[in-house]
Amino acid sequence: MKEKLYTIPVNDAFDEDSECPLCSMYKALEIEAIDFTMGPSYMEDDIREATSRLGFCEKHLVKMYDKQNRLGLALILKTQMDKVAKDIERLSQSGAKITAASLFKRKTDNSGVVEHLNALEDSCFVCDKINNTFDRYVATIFHLYHHEEAFRNKFKASKGFCIKHYRMLYDAAPNHLNGEELNDFLFNTNTLFLENMKRVSDDLEWFINKFDYRYADEPWKNAKDALPRAMQKTNSII
């Protein structure tokens, strides 16, 4: 492959006792990206330019706040707010007008203010940093599946995937595999997904039963942590 392969983190994630190895990979990258953003890098001009231009999603801004680097976050947000204000001032004074709606046409903003803010709302410096590497992790999964029997066995012994990452693997597979190998991958991925969704669903059912007085004296089995595992399966929360 022309792109760098990340065999160690991918193998490590599949070695974990995880409900979704891809969630584990993403979580590790997320921690690394937050630490980078809130570390000394925020004093570098090119990083501050990027954070001001891209901003942050709500999820990652909260995680940045949790790092307790109040001064660093204040400096990052001050620069971003100044840039947003400057951009909006420039766009709103450009002379373009908002065209009123008519019977057959929608109201349009020719100044570009709404378009600019929509783009900002959809961007995040931390997300971009994570995804740039995560995409290569996904490509490495297929590379290892194609080249290494040991990884294929490890893949088939995993606990499946969350809905989001199952969809990602299913969608990406034809770009990396073909023929019988593609069919084999999709079969194994589907089997892992369905069997392990049922496993967690059954654990969740027993968790619910334990709130019924009739089951009060019954053992918990594997249901004590069923709720957070179900949250990971359904919404990639880890």
Side-chain angles (χ1 to χ4, degrees), residues 31-42:
I31 293 171
E32 182 180 310
I34 294 292
D35 287 345
F36 173 85
T37 306
M38 296 308 301
S41 65
Y42 70 80

Side-chain angles (χ1 to χ4, degrees), residues 153-173:
N153 293 333
K154 189 181 300 186
F155 183 95
K156 289 183 280 189
S158 72
K159 291 185 174 181
F161 313 97
C162 68
I163 294 173
K164 175 182 178 180
H165 292 134
Y166 163 74
R167 177 197 59 78
M168 185 179 292
L169 289 172
Y170 199 95
D171 182 57

Side-chain angles (χ1 to χ4, degrees), residues 136-232:
R136 298 175 190 173
Y137 280 10
V138 173
T140 302
I141 291 173
F142 292 105
H143 175 85
L144 291 172
Y145 193 93
H146 176 71
H147 288 282
E148 297 187 10
E149 182 179 0
F151 180 79
R152 287 195 294 274
N153 293 333
K154 189 181 300 186
F155 183 95
K156 289 183 280 189
S158 72
K159 291 185 174 181
F161 313 97
C162 68
I163 294 173
K164 175 182 178 180
H165 292 134
Y166 163 74
R167 177 197 59 78
M168 185 179 292
L169 289 172
Y170 199 95
D171 182 57
N175 297 325
H176 299 272
L177 306 173
N178 54 60
E180 285 303 312
E181 188 173 44
L182 173 60
N183 292 334
D184 178 75
F185 178 86
L186 294 178
F187 174 81
N188 288 325
T189 303
N190 287 340
T191 300
L192 284 168
F193 177 75
L194 295 172
E195 288 183 350
N196 286 283
M197 284 289 280
K198 183 179 187 307
R199 172 181 55 80
V200 176
S201 178
D202 289 345
D203 289 344
L204 196 62
E205 181 178 14
W206 190 249
F207 178 87
I208 294 168
N209 287 341
K210 283 293 292 177
F211 285 83
D212 188 323
Y213 73 92
R214 294 173 298 178
Y215 297 89
D217 296 328
E218 296 292 332
W220 275 92
K221 301 179 182 179
N222 294 320
K224 279 191 174 182
D225 64 344
L227 191 54
R229 288 189 289 113
M231 291 168 67
Q232 182 177 1

Side-chain angles (χ1 to χ4, degrees), residues 74-154:
L75 290 167
I76 291 169
L77 293 182
K78 174 66 167 66
T79 307
Q80 182 192 356
M81 293 174 71
D82 289 347
K83 183 180 188 310
V84 170
K86 183 178 180 180
D87 289 342
I88 296 305
E89 183 178 24
R90 173 179 53 81
L91 290 168
S92 62
Q93 293 179 355
S94 64
K97 303 293 185 181
I98 296 179
T99 305
S102 65
L103 182 61
F104 300 106
K105 293 183 178 180
R106 296 179 59 186
K107 178 177 66 175
T108 57
D109 172 21
N110 295 321
S111 69
V113 169
V114 174
E115 182 180 359
H116 176 75
L117 293 178
N118 283 341
L120 183 61
E121 186 175 351
D122 292 337
S123 67
C124 172
F125 175 81
V126 176
C127 286
D128 275 14
K129 189 167 181 60
I130 294 168
N131 291 333
N132 285 339
T133 303
F134 188 76
D135 289 344
R136 298 175 190 173
Y137 280 10
V138 173
T140 302
I141 291 173
F142 292 105
H143 175 85
L144 291 172
Y145 193 93
H146 176 71
H147 288 282
E148 297 187 10
E149 182 179 0
F151 180 79
R152 287 195 294 274
N153 293 333
K154 189 181 300 186

